[in-house]
Amino acid sequence: MNLKKVVALALVGAIGISSILTGCSKAEEEKVVTEKKEVAASDNFNATGYPIVNETITLDVIFNSHPNTIELNEMPFFQELEKKTNIKLNVETIRSGWTEKKNLVLASGDLPDIFFGEGLKDTDLLNNKDFFVDMNSYISEYAPNIQKMFEEEPVTEKMATVPNTGEIYGLPNVRPFRPNVGDTWFINQEWLDNLGLEMPQSTEEFYEVLKAFKEQDANGNGDPNDEIPFNFNPVEPNNSNKYFTWRGILGSFGVTNDRFGDNVYLRDGNVQYVTVAEGYKEAVQYMHRLYSEGLIYSEVLTQDNYNKSGKTPDVAQLGAGVHWQAAVLFGQWADQYAVLPPLEGPRGDRTVVTDPTKIRMKKNTFSITSANPYPEATMRWVNELYDPEASLQLFFGSIGPCIEKKDDGYVVLDPTEESGLDAGSWKWTNAPADRAPMYASKSIEEQTTIPEFHKIKLGYEDVLTPYMEPESNTFPMVIWTPDISEELATLKNDIGTYAGTKTAEWIVNGGIEEEWDKYIDDINNMGLERYLEIYQEAYDNFMK
């Protein structure tokens, strides 16, 4: 048990004895405690100006870190922030085993002052309300940068605020230079040129191109059998692994691909379930056609390292694949690949899902616990992180080693040669990056120049923009109450696992046409109507 918890328990015991002796009511007792805290805070705390506290205080922090990130206290940004605020950090950095650590802390009640970095779920916060501080009133009094984020990006306040009660237990972030599209499909342009083929524009043309890749020695090494026409990340049976999969093809069949595991999408404000749509059935039939003719990697559903499949040593062997960025999948062969535009399906459907809110923003990147004796000072401290210049440093690294500050803006620097890192790895080494609380507004992006590495992903949208679906087709980031979350977990697992298992069988073995009606009946019997009812109600409340 940490010292702060011991002191807190001793204080509670002392107050309890005092109340017995004096006959204080519970309400009077709570008032006394509150007044004592306010007096103690006012002695050292400055509501405005700097430092935030006159005498240095230390906050105990649990930081859910990327494995490669240096310690927060080693970052020049946090060193300067300590000088400015008089607030030191005692950081426990968790680079692996986050879930186990989080669960242990919440079970024991041995709390830090701060949880820093994305990692707490809504249910962690709402099932343990006594462990966390409702930040709502502190934000309005001490956090103008966070208020500005709420005003300029209203969805951030919605995704942070508990429905019906207005409590805020976790702060979201808004990250800079994020794309509108997550999964990008790539095709080997050099192979197309070798075979005299045009970029495919439809599902049928894609099929014909993959056949040519398979049959005509597309990489030109004299071996007609070493090409893998198409590969993608396998989907777990319950859709928990949902990135870089085959499901981007759903836009060719009139269905919105859900990348975030809920299997729902929207049409005119009405919640739909992905895997019972007629277009889903047609997409699976199409994928079986490709698989049955050897146009998809034969071990696609059982491979354990998809990222290696494009990095063959002597010659490129993968014709088409799906990833965030070409270099990650294709390695030294990345320059051979071009963005494959969304394919036109048999009824003229041709879209790619856009989920910019979910790609730009994360929930619960910062929380204050009830063990923290300095909530006002802590709120002023975290407000500093939501300053535009601070947000750039939290994402890319500190001014000096990682960012050059100029009179007219900022230049994000390339990695040093000695580091041997690309710009993405450099960012994750020198900053808490995507996991940190921050507000990188559009205006700070306009003042900032970024390395070519970070521009590549954004450049893909030159091809994709004409086909982007409206964001209104994707389900927003709502807060689920614990009771609903528990009910949803069962429904999601039962229905999602069954749907995912059947889909894998159908892609490999076929049979979807014969089994479709029974499959729909089975999913309905598992509670699909209730599942959609829950999502519809949550969506309607969110949009009010």
Side-chain angles (χ1 to χ4, degrees):
M1 184 178 293
N2 63 28
L3 181 59
K4 288 177 181 174
K5 189 173 179 185
V6 171
V7 172
L9 290 173
L11 178 61
V12 170
I15 292 173
I17 294 171
S18 173
S19 64
I20 292 171
L21 294 175
T22 62
C24 287
S25 69
K26 182 173 176 58
E28 291 170 331
E29 173 188 319
E30 291 175 347
K31 181 180 178 183
V32 169
V33 172
T34 300
E35 288 174 348
K36 285 183 177 180
K37 284 179 67 176
E38 288 174 350
V39 169
S42 65
D43 286 344
N44 194 38
F45 170 65
N46 298 312
T48 59
Y50 299 99
I52 291 175
V53 290
N54 298 319
E55 299 295 329
T56 299
I57 62 173
T58 300
L59 298 176
D60 293 330
V61 180
I62 289 182
F63 170 34
N64 180 24
S65 171
H66 185 278
N68 297 339
T69 306
I70 65 174
E71 295 292 336
L72 296 183
N73 286 327
E74 294 177 9
M75 299 176 190
F77 168 78
F78 283 101
Q79 294 169 354
E80 291 301 313
L81 187 62
E82 179 183 326
K83 295 175 186 176
K84 179 180 181 180
T85 63
N86 260 356
I87 296 176
K88 296 172 65 73
L89 303 181
N90 175 35
V91 185
E92 181 179 2
T93 304
I94 311 300
R95 293 191 170 87
S96 64
W98 166 254
T99 300
E100 293 79 5
K101 174 64 179 180
K102 173 194 70 176
N103 291 342
L104 179 62
V105 169
L106 294 178
S108 69
D110 191 13
L111 302 170
D113 295 318
I114 292 170
F115 280 96
F116 184 102
E118 180 203 21
L120 291 177
K121 298 179 180 178
D122 293 335
T123 49
D124 294 326
L125 298 167
L126 298 183
N127 279 326
N128 299 281
K129 281 189 176 184
D130 290 346
F131 287 172
F132 295 96
V133 171
D134 173 13
M135 293 181 276
N136 203 333
S137 61
Y138 293 112
I139 291 170
S140 61
E141 191 163 358
Y142 300 117
N145 292 329
I146 297 171
Q147 290 180 69
K148 183 178 182 183
M149 176 182 69
F150 287 170
E151 291 163 5
E152 294 182 349
E153 301 269 9
V155 70
T156 58
E157 185 170 16
K158 282 188 176 186
M159 59 195 266
T161 304
V162 180
N164 303 320
T165 67
E167 299 157 321
I168 296 176
Y169 294 106
L171 295 178
N173 74 14
V174 179
R175 295 164 290 154
F177 299 104
R178 305 294 288 171
N180 292 302
V181 175
D183 294 1
T184 302
W185 288 43
F186 302 97
I187 193 164
N188 194 308
Q189 182 67 55
E190 190 169 297
W191 288 14
L192 291 173
D193 296 342
N194 289 346
L195 302 179
L197 299 173
E198 298 294 324
M199 177 70 70
Q201 300 295 324
S202 69
T203 52
E204 193 59 32
E205 290 178 9
F206 185 56
Y207 164 78
E208 294 294 343
V209 163
L210 295 183
K211 281 192 69 175
F213 284 175
K214 175 179 170 59
E215 297 169 355
Q216 299 180 32
D217 188 23
N219 61 16
N221 70 339
D223 183 350
N225 299 309
D226 67 339
E227 287 86 357
I228 299 171
F230 183 31
N231 194 17
F232 48 83
N233 213 19
V235 186
E236 298 296 335
N238 63 358
N239 194 33
S240 60
N241 182 10
K242 55 267 183 189
Y243 303 130
F244 320 134
T245 73
W246 67 272
R247 286 168 52 123
I249 201 71
L250 292 175
S252 303
F253 294 88
V255 180
T256 299
N257 175 30
D258 165 46
R259 295 177 69 250
F260 289 87
D262 294 322
N263 262 326
V264 296
Y265 65 107
L266 289 152
R267 287 291 183 271
D268 299 322
N270 296 309
V271 179
Q272 313 285 318
Y273 196 72
V274 171
T275 72
V276 299
E278 190 67 23
Y280 184 83
K281 172 185 168 184
E282 295 169 352
V284 173
Q285 289 174 314
Y286 176 77
M287 294 303 295
H288 171 63
R289 179 187 179 195
L290 300 185
Y291 186 88
S292 66
E293 297 189 30
L295 307 182
I296 295 174
Y297 179 47
S298 60
E299 298 177 26
V300 62
L301 300 179
T302 56
Q303 62 187 325
D304 58 5
N305 195 337
Y306 165 61
N307 281 359
K308 280 189 175 180
S309 65
K311 300 186 181 74
T312 46
D314 300 320
V315 65
Q317 291 181 322
L318 182 55
V322 188
H323 219 286
W324 181 265
Q325 199 156 316
V328 181
L329 180 58
F330 305 110
Q332 63 178 315
W333 312 115
D335 289 346
Q336 293 186 14
Y337 292 82
V339 175
L340 178 67
L343 303 169
E344 183 175 335
R347 292 188 304 277
D349 297 300
R350 189 177 190 182
T351 62
V352 60
V353 63
T354 53
D355 36 29
T357 295
K358 293 173 184 172
I359 291 175
R360 285 183 68 215
M361 302 174 187
K362 288 183 178 290
K363 298 171 72 172
N364 303 329
T365 60
F366 184 90
S367 295
I368 302 174
T369 77
S370 54
N372 187 330
Y374 315 109
E376 297 89 352
T378 303
M379 182 53 63
R380 282 206 63 202
W381 180 87
V382 73
N383 180 67
E384 295 293 312
L385 308 189
Y386 285 81
D387 171 79
E389 184 176 285
S391 296
L392 272 187
Q393 296 178 79
L394 289 162
F395 191 75
F396 288 113
S398 303
I399 290 174
C402 301
I403 298 173
E404 181 181 356
K405 185 175 181 179
K406 295 178 171 289
D407 293 339
D408 58 349
Y410 307 86
V411 176
V412 178
L413 303 175
D414 283 308
T416 61
E417 286 189 21
E418 310 90 77
S419 73
L421 300 174
D422 61 43
S425 301
W426 181 247
K427 175 194 82 171
W428 278 108
T429 299
N430 290 285
D434 298 54
R435 304 185 182 200
M438 69 180 81
Y439 174 44
S441 64
K442 291 296 184 182
S443 62
I444 194 67
E445 288 188 7
E446 293 168 1
Q447 302 171 50
T448 305
T449 302
I450 57 175
E452 193 62 33
F453 178 93
H454 295 294
K455 295 177 183 176
I456 292 173
K457 176 66 176 178
L458 299 173
Y460 297 156
E461 299 192 354
D462 294 342
V463 175
L464 301 175
T465 296
Y467 310 105
M468 289 181 185
E469 292 188 56
E471 189 179 6
S472 57
N473 284 3
T474 61
F475 195 82
M477 288 192 284
V478 305
I479 290 180
W480 300 108
T481 58
D483 55 333
I484 292 296
S485 182
E486 185 175 351
E487 183 180 4
L488 269 183
T490 301
L491 290 168
K492 184 183 293 187
N493 184 67
D494 291 350
I495 298 172
T497 300
Y498 176 67
T501 301
K502 294 304 295 182
T503 297
E505 291 176 6
W506 290 328
I507 288 176
V508 173
N509 302 318
I512 190 172
E513 183 65 45
E514 297 80 5
E515 298 180 27
W516 183 254
D517 290 343
K518 180 181 183 302
Y519 163 81
I520 295 295
D521 288 341
D522 290 343
I523 284 186
N524 284 331
N525 291 334
M526 290 176 181
L528 179 61
E529 182 179 357
R530 173 58 181 156
Y531 188 85
L532 293 176
E533 179 184 46
I534 291 171
Y535 273 86
Q536 189 68 57
E537 183 177 351
Y539 174 77
D540 292 342
N541 287 336
F542 186 87
M543 297 304 292
K544 285 179 183 177

